[in-house]
Every structure is written in structure tokens, then in C-alpha cells.
């Protein structure tokens, strides 16, 4: 119910969130309006639906006399680190499925772009989510704050979207507690054009890939 109310609130207050995200990141209004808000609302409703059918089910009998059973259950506290270029959408992608699975979360947005994540946390409380289920930690000292969170024995999973060098460090830290990790790691995204390429299409593709989202894609 909280996820459905959250989706309704995002849809109703879309202009407010578009404006806040544009101020937060410098990205165009049009991009957030058309390419971020609609899928975010859809994802929230999808995971709200998934939360209602998290029961086990028989999947197959792989061995004679044995039935394989799938059981979906919360794993515990999930640490989530979001990037600066799509802070609103990435926060949604991480928070919604964790809540649907019954997990609590600690979200650390990028130090430059925390505003929409903070607004989300407030909106989730207004939607009826108990205090302490979604926690947002902001900081200008990412490493100093992330390390003790990852080392806390209550944390059971780490989800990170960001650069490969930072991801490697977080994976190494997560290994100490044998945490489950989900890593979406990026880099400088080289653009390779081969001899037999259609140059006009290659130029158009490069412009779309490199200058979209105010060059932050």
C-alpha cells in the first residue's frame, strides 16, 4: 500500500520532482519528464504488485521423490549507494524492490545530488512507511561513511552504481562480511567506430550517447 501511495504521489507531484532533479543535477526538464518519471511510477506499481505475491511455489521435481521449492524472503538490511547522474531514478530502482521483498534500506546518495532522495524518504513516510525502514545518509566524506556501514554486521547486501575503481573497493570491503553485492559499474565509455561504419549514423549515435542528460550519461 505504501508503494502504491508513493507512486500516486510521484505522479501527482511530477512537476515538483522534475524541477528538483533539474536543480539537483543540471539535467534538462524534458528528459526527466519524459524518460524518468513515467518508468519510475510504473516500477513502483510493479513492485507493489510483486510484494503481494511473495509466497513460495513448487518449481519442479529435479530428483525423484524431491520437490524444489522457491521461497522469497527478506535478507535484512540493504546498503544502497546511488550515482550523481541519475540520482532520482537510481534511488527508485534500488529502494522499491528492496521494500517489496521486505528489506529495510540505508541509502547514501552521491554527495553532489542528494535532494530528490531526501524528498523520497519524506514522501515514503507520508505514504505510511514506518520510520527507520528507509534511511538516507548524506555526506561529503563518502569513504568515511560507507566503510562503517559496510562493516556493520547487520548489513546483509550492498547495491552500488558508480565507477569501477570505487566498486572494486566496495566489493573488497563487502567480502569481509560475505555480503551479497549488486554492482553496476561504469567508466569513460569509449566509442569505437570501425572502418565499415556509416559515419553519419555513428556521429548521430555519438551525439546521443555523449551529450544526452547534459553530457552526464
Amino acid at each position: 500500500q505504501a508503494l502504491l501511495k508513493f507512486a500516486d504521489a510521484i505522479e501527482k507531484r511530477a512537476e515538483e520532482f522534475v524541477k528538483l532533479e533539474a536543480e539537483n543535477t543540471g539535467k534538462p526538464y524534458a528528459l526527466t519528464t519524459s524518460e524518468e518519471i513515467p518508468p519510475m511510477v510504473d516500477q513502483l506499481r510493479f513492485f507493489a504488485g510483486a510484494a503481494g505475491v511473495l509466497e513460495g511455489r513448487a518449481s519442479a521435481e529435479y530428483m525423484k521423490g524431491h520437490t524444489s521449492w522457491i521461497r522469497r524472503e527478506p535478507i535484512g538490511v540493504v546498503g544502497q549507494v546511488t550515482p550523481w547522474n541519475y540520482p532520482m531514478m537510481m534511488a527508485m530502482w534500488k529502494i522499491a524492490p528492496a521494500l517489496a521483498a521486505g528489506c529495510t534500506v540505508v541509502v547514501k546518495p552521491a554527495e553532489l545530488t542528494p535532494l530528490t532522495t531526501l524528498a523520497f524518504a519524506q514522501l515514503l513516510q507520508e505514504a505510511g512507511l514506518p520510520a527507520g525502514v528507509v534511511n538516507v545518509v548524506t555526506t561529503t566524506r563518502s569513504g568515511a561513511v560507507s566503510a562503517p556501514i559496510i562493516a556493520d554486521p547487520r548489513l546483509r547486501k550492498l547495491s552500488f552504481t558508480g565507477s569501477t575503481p570505487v566498486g572494486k573497493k566496495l566489493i573488497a570491503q563487502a567480502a569481509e562480511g560475505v555480503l551479497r553485492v549488486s554492482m553496476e559499474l561504469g567508466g569513460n565509455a569509449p566509442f569505437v567506430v570501425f572502418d565499415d561504419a556509416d559515419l553519419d549514423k555513428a556521429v548521430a549515435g555519438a551525439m546521443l550517447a555523449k551529450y544526452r542528460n547534459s553530457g552526464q550519461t
Side-chain angles (χ1 to χ4, degrees):
Q1 289 298 318
L3 287 172
L4 289 173
K5 289 179 182 177
F6 189 28
D8 291 343
I10 293 290
E11 196 168 51
K12 184 178 179 180
R13 297 165 60 175
E15 288 187 21
E16 175 186 333
F17 276 97
V18 167
K19 185 175 184 293
L20 185 60
E21 187 75 336
E23 294 173 352
N24 203 26
T25 62
K27 65 175 62 188
Y29 284 5
L31 184 73
T32 305
T33 302
S34 63
E35 297 186 24
E36 294 188 40
I37 294 290
M40 281 167 46
V41 171
D42 185 53
Q43 288 152 19
L44 278 168
R45 290 175 178 150
F46 172 84
F47 285 112
V53 289
L54 291 179
E55 80 283 355
R57 65 186 187 277
S59 58
E61 293 191 6
Y62 296 106
M63 295 173 61
K64 187 176 181 180
H66 293 77
T67 298
S68 175
W69 189 269
I70 296 172
R71 185 175 67 183
R72 301 164 81 176
E73 60 183 26
I75 59 171
V77 184
V78 181
Q80 304 176 334
V81 183
T82 55
W84 50 267
N85 59 344
Y86 284 94
M88 183 166 67
M89 180 176 280
M90 292 297 177
M92 184 68 65
W93 284 359
K94 294 180 188 299
I95 292 171
L99 294 182
C103 298
T104 56
V105 300
V106 178
V107 188
K108 192 196 77 59
E111 63 179 84
L112 296 175
T113 55
L115 299 182
T116 42
T117 308
L118 288 167
F120 278 175
Q122 179 65 39
L123 209 56
L124 278 164
Q125 282 202 329
E126 293 174 9
L129 209 64
V133 174
V134 173
N135 309 274
V136 180
V137 180
T138 60
T139 180
T140 57
R141 300 179 300 119
S142 294
V145 170
S146 296
I149 292 175
I150 295 171
D152 193 301
R154 291 169 294 183
L155 197 73
R156 301 311 312 141
K157 178 179 173 64
L158 177 65
S159 175
F160 171 74
T161 299
S163 71
T164 300
V166 173
K168 288 180 178 179
K169 292 179 181 178
L170 296 181
I171 291 171
Q173 292 173 15
E176 288 294 321
V178 197
L179 301 180
R180 304 182 192 196
V181 295
S182 296
M183 297 279 153
E184 182 188 3
L185 306 181
N188 292 325
F191 191 89
V192 181
V193 181
F194 291 97
D195 291 339
D196 60 348
D198 182 322
L199 287 182
D200 289 338
K201 289 183 178 179
V203 169
M207 294 293 288
L208 178 64
K210 297 300 182 183
Y211 291 98
R212 192 164 160 268
N213 196 35
S214 296
Q216 299 177 118
T217 301

